[in-house]
Amino acid sequence: MHQAFDITRTSRKVLASFLQDYTLEQLNKTPSGFSNNLIWNIGHIVVVQQILTYKLSGLSMHIPDSFVEKYKRGTRPEQDATQAEVDEILSYLFQTINQTKTDYNAQAFKNYQEFTSQVGFTMRTIEDAISFNYYHEALHLGIMMQIRKLI
């Protein structure tokens, strides 16, 4: 699992570069033909990782419920994110994955509620969830690469 965490950490560095290299206006812009923007995709990535690992293991997530409600599947940007929200998301990118690795190494994930993703991948263990998560992050990174061409 060490490599899975390294892959996710590398993904998070790429995501952080979006937050650092694009203006607030660019992060909030939703191009025609898209239902979300750069900032929403990054917030969504954080939320899904927490749901896949903690919530489905019956553990408390390390992000506020209000953050989950704003970026969970099926939501869209309702209003522009502020710089404070961008900073919050940036901090969650690394805090959450570092905490997950710590908790994984401490064997905190004892139970896992089986879950099948929209694409049909069934997760039965925490290892499945961690592995699926980096697929999910890559999927959204691809969407973000398309969005950045249009902003």
Side-chain angles (χ1 to χ4, degrees), residues 34-95:
F34 288 82
S35 59
N36 50 54
N37 54 33
L38 294 175
I39 194 69
W40 183 91
N41 276 278
I42 299 171
H44 174 74
I45 284 168
V46 170
V47 166
V48 168
Q49 185 270 337
Q50 288 289 288
I51 290 171
L52 289 175
T53 54
Y54 287 90
K55 186 173 183 179
L56 291 173
S57 294
L59 300 172
S60 296
M61 294 185 286
H62 295 278
I63 54 175
D65 291 341
S66 60
F67 191 80
V68 174
E69 289 304 310
K70 187 170 185 174
Y71 295 105
K72 69 183 179 182
R73 183 172 56 114
T75 63
R76 293 175 178 228
E78 305 260 336
Q79 60 193 29
D80 284 354
T82 64
Q83 186 60 51
E85 290 170 307
V86 171
D87 296 343
E88 177 183 41
I89 291 170
L90 183 59
S91 72
Y92 288 151
L93 279 177
F94 297 102
Q95 288 173 4

Side-chain angles (χ1 to χ4, degrees), residues 12-151:
R12 299 293 174 100
K13 287 177 185 174
V14 173
L15 295 170
S17 73
F18 277 86
L19 296 174
Q20 295 162 337
D21 296 344
Y22 288 86
T23 67
L24 192 55
E25 181 181 346
Q26 289 172 314
L27 292 170
N28 281 301
K29 182 172 173 132
T30 302
S32 178
F34 288 82
S35 59
N36 50 54
N37 54 33
L38 294 175
I39 194 69
W40 183 91
N41 276 278
I42 299 171
H44 174 74
I45 284 168
V46 170
V47 166
V48 168
Q49 185 270 337
Q50 288 289 288
I51 290 171
L52 289 175
T53 54
Y54 287 90
K55 186 173 183 179
L56 291 173
S57 294
L59 300 172
S60 296
M61 294 185 286
H62 295 278
I63 54 175
D65 291 341
S66 60
F67 191 80
V68 174
E69 289 304 310
K70 187 170 185 174
Y71 295 105
K72 69 183 179 182
R73 183 172 56 114
T75 63
R76 293 175 178 228
E78 305 260 336
Q79 60 193 29
D80 284 354
T82 64
Q83 186 60 51
E85 290 170 307
V86 171
D87 296 343
E88 177 183 41
I89 291 170
L90 183 59
S91 72
Y92 288 151
L93 279 177
F94 297 102
Q95 288 173 4
T96 54
I97 199 62
N98 291 340
Q99 187 63 54
T100 303
K101 183 177 182 181
T102 297
D103 291 342
Y104 179 81
N105 289 338
Q107 299 180 344
F109 301 101
K110 297 186 185 317
N111 301 307
Y112 196 81
Q113 177 185 334
E114 185 175 304
F115 175 76
T116 301
S117 73
Q118 277 189 301
V119 295
F121 184 82
T122 300
M123 291 159 264
R124 293 179 179 87
T125 66
I126 189 62
E127 291 81 10
D128 291 347
I130 292 167
S131 296
F132 177 78
N133 182 67
Y134 57 80
Y135 161 81
H136 179 260
E137 291 196 16
L139 179 72
H140 281 276
L141 181 57
I143 293 167
M144 292 170 62
M145 289 178 166
Q146 292 299 312
I147 289 173
R148 76 176 177 185
K149 292 178 183 179
L150 302 170
I151 59 169

